[in-house]
Amino acid sequence: MSQWKQIQQLQIKYQEQVGYLYDDNFPMDIRQVLSNYIESQDWDTAANHESMATVLLSNLLSQLDRQCSQEQNFLQRHNLKFIYQQLQTKCKASPLLMAGVISSCLREERRIISTASIQEQGPLEKSMQNSVAFERQKNMDNRVAVIRSSVQMMDQAVKYLEDMQDDFDFRYKTLQSRDPVDRNTEVMKQEVTRLQEMLNNLDFKRKENLSKMSDVIKEIDALIVSQLNPELMEWKRRQQINCIGGPLLTGLDQLQNWFTLTAQSLFQMKRQLDKLGELILKVTYESDPIPLQRPQMEEQVKYLIYHLIKSSFVVEKQPCMPTHPQKPLIIKTGVQFTTKVRLLVKLPEVDYQLKVKTIFDKNRQFFILTTTTKVMDVEESSNGCLSVEFRHLGPVSVTEELHSLSFEAQFNIQGINIDLETCSFPLVVISNVSQLPGGWASVMWYNLLTDEPRNLGFFASPQRASWGQLSEVLSWQFSTFAGRGLNREQLCMLGEKLMGTVQASQNECQVSWSKFCKENIHGKNFSFWMWLDSILELIKKHLLPIWNDNCIMGFVSKETERARLKDKEPGTFLLRFSESHLGGITFTWVEQSDSGEAKFISVEPYTKSRLSALPFADIIRDYKVITDGEVPENPLKFLYPDIPKDEAFGRLYNSQQNKGKMSQSCLDSIKLLLRKQHYWNVSLTLMEMSSETPSQV
């Protein structure tokens, strides 16, 4: 079943989540009308290769244009034409960006389908959702808006104060210009009294305004400490979880809006304080509150501006090799990778260049094919923020397991010197692609268990993970790399295999780093993660359609397998991954013995070398055995629980059925049966597929 059809069968709450993925950049109308084409292309690779992206998008536009001409509904045809025009412009302007958008949407669809199949979100995903709860965002929006409104009102108050002072100054200077002889007259005394009242009012207003400004500064300080900084930390945590396959990363634009509005309020308050400084140059007096309070308030505002902008310097895109877009934070010596930094505060228009310098492990060798410094530019981002992307970075040689990549910049704004520094999450550097599985295990373990940005000594004494946390991340690996996550039953089997026991509170069981990745499984020469990663590779390269059609039970023990099959119709079979081979898949079917008891027959696992020669669906179609010289037949009738074989796999069969010599799958099956003949008490014969009469063996 296609991915889009699976989405249409989801509950409404999951369909609504899918709806949030689509906007004007990639309308859902296109996803609907071109679903087959979109799902059949490799958008992940296209997102990192411009020529491939251009070709795929050109084909997409051609198909969309054809769909427009064939559409009978007038309104739908009009909408599709409009979308076609908009999309044509975007595809030409930035094919890589568009391919990336489509890739992200498809990947997140698979995650939602996977979540729906489990029917219960894991602890990590629940925490990620809670951290961006709607009510919390709403509260933040309201609080920022109230502060902005207060600062705007302070503008009016300072203007009113200036008008009061100008009025007082004018009357005072007028009085000063009078003839000294007239100063003792009743009129002059009244004028002096009036001036004193004006000065008292002016003093009262100055104190009132300063008090209000102090309250607003305290409110901004509290906002930054209690909400804005925690929201930023939560976003960084979500970014970590997204790096290891978790939910789609959102919220940075919202954070930028909050940071920018808060910074604008602070800059506006600094201008108001500057204005107060100008006012006392014209009018001041004994116990004037402005010279007493303004310096401290100005320092507070500068301090808040400094730290707000400093904290807004973030790594928007973690380091990632274009060849492995779904495995960030792993870089290979001699191979380029990309990364992107962003300033969340939209700065006022000033004449300066914000130059960003990359630093790798501070004192280690590092090369950049262009330059170590690049200028942040508004033009690189569609939302108007300052950002810069480094596309040609690469390490020379390193020795430790974890490494840091830092970014530094310096600039001055409105008299405030600001030193910016941020860093990526710790990197794993490899020298050979064979180290990729181990490197990815390190990335998963680190980002699962700590939110420290630069704990390079983490693996000197790595923390343990609860099975509840780890199982959720493992399911994400299958939804990210293979299109469909794992259900509770599959995860339970994995937990038993990893920990060796079945426990009622299995989710709370603690798993060590060594047990997960370093120690060999009992009786095997490979670790748990090596075994699981080999299965992921097998699915991705040879079994993807069958896996996504939910035809592979996959992770099931032999005991459970027999319990499932024993009461089924003869010829019922299921597919599971081998526990004894790296990257192997096998099938077992049930037959009925002469005594009426169920007997179970399994085949030797198929690995990537055999599946490279023949698709697995064709192996299942052509699998045949014969007994006692009878006409050979395929023993595989029903995919568990009771789906006719051709119904389950028919759409995946090659159009040209194997003819001539017996297929390798048939030979393999017979060899296996011959080896286990003493268990099954059957005689087997081979038949050359080109012969009309079977030949006895």
Side-chain angles (χ1 to χ4, degrees):
M1 185 185 299
S2 71
Q3 189 168 307
W4 191 244
K5 285 184 178 179
Q6 292 181 61
I7 288 170
Q8 293 171 338
Q9 295 180 4
L10 296 178
Q11 297 178 26
I12 292 177
K13 65 178 181 179
Y14 295 114
Q15 291 179 345
E16 288 177 349
Q17 293 178 27
V18 173
Y20 292 135
L21 304 177
Y22 295 93
D23 54 22
D24 292 341
N25 287 325
F26 185 44
M28 189 182 287
D29 304 65
I30 301 176
R31 182 68 178 92
Q32 170 75 25
V33 299
L34 300 180
S35 60
N36 290 336
Y37 171 77
I38 290 171
E39 290 181 31
S40 65
Q41 307 305 314
D42 186 359
W43 297 102
D44 293 337
T45 303
N48 294 280
H49 295 84
E50 188 165 0
S51 58
M52 182 178 178
T54 302
V55 171
L56 293 189
L57 291 168
S58 176
N59 292 338
L60 184 144
L61 287 170
S62 298
Q63 295 208 25
L64 183 59
D65 187 39
R66 190 179 308 115
Q67 188 71 29
C68 290
S69 62
Q70 295 173 354
E71 180 59 52
Q72 299 299 314
N73 183 285
F74 171 75
L75 181 59
Q76 180 70 358
R77 184 168 64 251
H78 171 78
N79 291 338
L80 289 177
K81 284 184 177 179
F82 178 76
I83 291 171
Y84 173 83
Q85 293 170 354
Q86 297 293 315
L87 192 64
Q88 190 177 39
T89 302
K90 293 173 184 175
C91 291
K92 288 182 178 179
S94 183
L96 284 178
L97 178 62
M98 277 305 305
V101 168
I102 298 174
S103 171
S104 177
C105 287
L106 292 175
R107 186 164 60 253
E108 187 63 10
E109 282 181 8
R110 293 193 293 269
R111 188 197 64 78
I112 293 172
I113 292 171
S114 176
T115 300
S117 69
I118 299 175
Q119 297 181 339
E120 182 179 338
Q121 294 168 320
L124 287 171
E125 186 154 355
K126 284 181 179 177
S127 69
M128 294 304 101
Q129 288 194 344
N130 291 337
S131 69
V132 288
F134 175 74
E135 286 300 322
R136 200 160 125 187
Q137 290 190 17
K138 185 177 179 181
N139 176 269
M140 188 73 168
D141 286 336
N142 291 339
R143 196 169 177 185
V144 170
V146 168
I147 289 175
R148 287 294 294 146
S149 177
S150 298
V151 173
Q152 297 285 1
M153 291 174 66
M154 286 304 306
D155 258 1
Q156 299 299 319
V158 171
K159 181 65 171 64
Y160 178 71
L161 187 64
E162 183 180 18
D163 292 342
M164 284 182 64
Q165 178 171 304
D166 287 344
D167 190 19
F168 171 84
D169 190 45
F170 175 76
R171 287 175 177 267
Y172 180 78
K173 288 179 178 178
T174 301
L175 182 64
Q176 289 288 89
S177 66
R178 295 280 184 89
D179 192 322
V181 178
D182 298 331
R183 292 184 179 178
N184 292 325
T185 64
E186 191 64 29
V187 174
M188 287 294 290
K189 289 180 181 179
Q190 292 177 356
E191 185 64 21
V192 170
T193 301
R194 173 62 179 157
L195 278 174
Q196 185 61 53
E197 290 176 353
M198 291 181 67
L199 184 60
N200 291 341
N201 287 336
L202 185 63
D203 181 63
F204 175 80
K205 279 297 180 184
R206 283 186 173 185
K207 290 177 179 177
E208 181 183 57
N209 283 2
L210 287 167
S211 177
K212 289 181 178 178
M213 292 177 76
S214 178
D215 289 343
V216 174
I217 292 172
K218 290 177 181 177
E219 178 64 19
I220 294 176
D221 191 5
L223 172 75
I224 294 173
V225 172
S226 67
Q227 285 187 278
L228 202 52
N229 285 342
E231 285 289 345
L232 179 60
M233 295 306 296
E234 287 289 347
W235 179 85
K236 289 181 178 180
R237 181 59 181 155
R238 295 198 302 275
Q239 188 183 42
Q240 280 189 283
I241 295 302
N242 173 257
C243 282
I244 56 176
L248 183 69
L249 184 62
T250 59
L252 194 58
D253 288 343
Q254 180 66 72
L255 268 175
Q256 177 176 292
N257 184 53
W258 291 333
F259 267 88
T260 297
L261 290 175
T262 304
Q264 288 174 351
S265 295
L266 286 169
F267 282 122
Q268 197 167 351
M269 293 203 71
K270 185 177 182 302
R271 290 193 295 270
Q272 292 166 1
L273 289 169
D274 290 342
K275 188 64 178 178
L276 293 182
E278 295 173 8
L279 293 182
I280 61 174
L281 295 177
K282 297 179 181 179
V283 175
T284 189
Y285 47 88
E286 188 177 352
S287 71
D288 185 350
I290 292 179
L292 292 175
Q293 299 181 38
R294 177 181 169 275
Q296 182 181 2
M297 294 172 65
E298 186 175 37
E299 285 304 311
Q300 286 179 306
V301 169
K302 286 182 178 180
Y303 173 86
L304 292 175
I305 290 174
Y306 175 86
H307 285 281
L308 182 71
I309 294 179
K310 189 175 178 68
S311 63
S312 77
F313 190 47
V314 299
V315 179
E316 179 180 0
K317 180 182 178 182
Q318 293 293 329
C320 183
M321 293 187 295
T323 52
H324 296 83
Q326 295 168 333
K327 290 185 176 179
L329 302 174
I330 298 179
I331 56 178
K332 182 179 177 296
T333 53
V335 175
Q336 298 175 27
F337 65 91
T338 64
T339 186
K340 183 178 182 180
V341 293
R342 173 169 167 180
L343 197 65
L344 298 180
V345 174
K346 291 184 181 180
L347 298 173
E349 293 295 331
V350 289
D351 185 20
Y352 67 87
Q353 283 190 331
L354 188 52
K355 296 181 178 180
V356 179
K357 182 179 181 180
T358 58
I359 303 171
F360 189 72
D361 274 7
K362 296 293 184 181
N363 300 315
R364 293 193 172 278
Q365 276 191 303
F366 186 71
F367 73 81
I368 301 176
L369 298 184
T370 52
T371 175
T372 58
T373 303
K374 292 187 72 173
V375 177
M376 297 190 84
D377 193 350
V378 175
E379 299 302 322
E380 290 200 21
S381 174
S382 59
N383 57 17
C385 71
L386 282 170
S387 65
V388 61
E389 185 167 14
F390 292 87
R391 298 191 180 99
H392 304 289
L393 309 184
V396 176
S397 61
V398 281
T399 55
E400 286 99 8
E401 190 165 31
L402 294 179
H403 307 272
S404 68
L405 180 63
S406 303
F407 305 88
E408 294 181 356
Q410 294 179 330
F411 72 109
N412 181 288
I413 182 169
Q414 297 190 11
I416 305 173
N417 293 315
I418 299 179
D419 299 316
L420 299 175
E421 181 178 4
T422 190
C423 63
S424 71
F425 299 135
L427 305 176
V428 175
V429 181
I430 61 176
S431 58
N432 191 288
V433 290
S434 63
Q435 299 169 319
L436 193 61
W440 184 238
S442 298
V443 170
M444 286 193 295
W445 203 263
Y446 183 94
N447 290 286
L448 169 63
L449 295 176
T450 181
D451 57 4
E452 296 181 59
R454 204 182 297 185
N455 183 5
L456 302 184
F458 175 83
F459 284 100
S461 180
Q463 302 174 29
R464 289 173 173 260
S466 73
W467 174 245
Q469 293 175 307
L470 183 57
S471 63
E472 188 175 9
V473 175
L474 295 182
S475 182
W476 287 343
Q477 304 314 299
F478 281 82
S479 59
T480 299
F481 296 102
R484 181 172 65 85
L486 305 178
N487 58 37
R488 266 185 250 168
E489 190 174 22
Q490 291 169 324
L491 290 171
C492 183
M493 183 271 182
L494 288 179
E496 292 174 20
K497 186 172 185 65
L498 178 59
M499 294 175 283
T501 57
V502 182
Q503 299 185 28
S505 57
Q506 197 175 60
N507 279 348
E508 302 305 318
C509 289
Q510 298 294 305
V511 182
S512 69
W513 164 244
S514 179
K515 187 77 171 177
F516 174 69
C517 187
K518 299 298 183 181
E519 299 174 9
N520 286 342
I521 298 173
H522 180 68
K524 304 293 187 296
N525 62 348
F526 47 80
S527 67
F528 173 83
W529 170 246
M530 188 183 298
W531 171 72
L532 199 62
D533 183 72
S534 68
I535 290 172
L536 275 166
E537 282 296 306
L538 187 73
I539 293 174
K540 185 176 179 181
K541 293 181 179 178
H542 302 289
L543 304 172
L544 202 55
I546 298 177
W547 172 260
N548 285 324
D549 281 356
N550 206 18
C551 294
I552 301 175
M553 186 171 290
F555 300 104
V556 55
S557 65
K558 291 183 179 179
E559 293 75 15
T560 302
E561 174 188 71
R562 296 194 171 198
R564 292 289 184 87
L565 291 175
K566 69 177 182 178
D567 296 324
K568 292 298 179 181
E569 289 286 328
T572 301
F573 67 99
L574 57 77
L575 312 179
R576 65 178 178 84
F577 298 116
S578 171
E579 296 182 64
S580 58
H581 290 68
L582 280 179
I585 186 169
T586 183
F587 49 82
T588 300
W589 73 89
V590 63
E591 289 184 356
Q592 198 172 52
S593 66
D594 294 337
S595 62
E597 293 183 358
K599 61 178 181 179
F600 310 95
I601 307 170
S602 301
V603 299
E604 186 176 342
Y606 291 88
T607 58
K608 61 182 181 181
S609 59
R610 300 167 72 187
L611 295 178
S612 297
L614 192 64
F616 195 48
D618 287 358
I619 291 174
I620 293 171
R621 178 192 64 189
D622 298 334
Y623 194 89
K624 289 181 174 67
V625 296
I626 59 174
T627 61
D628 299 328
E630 296 178 2
V631 176
E633 64 174 40
N634 192 326
L636 310 178
K637 306 297 183 185
F638 305 100
L639 177 66
Y640 181 87
D642 55 7
I643 307 171
K645 176 190 61 182
D646 292 339
E647 180 181 322
F649 301 98
R651 76 179 187 89
L652 303 175
Y653 294 157
N654 277 343
S655 57
Q656 292 294 323
Q657 189 164 347
N658 289 338
K659 296 182 179 180
K661 291 187 178 180
M662 177 174 285
S663 67
Q664 183 63 42
S665 63
C666 188
L667 291 172
D668 291 339
S669 65
I670 294 171
K671 289 176 183 177
L672 176 66
L673 292 172
L674 285 170
R675 274 202 305 274
K676 298 185 177 180
Q677 186 173 2
H678 60 283
Y679 289 115
W680 302 330
N681 193 26
V682 294
S683 61
L684 301 173
T685 57
L686 281 173
M687 179 187 73
E688 294 294 337
M689 299 298 287
S690 58
S691 303
E692 295 183 0
T693 305
S695 56
Q696 295 290 337
V697 181

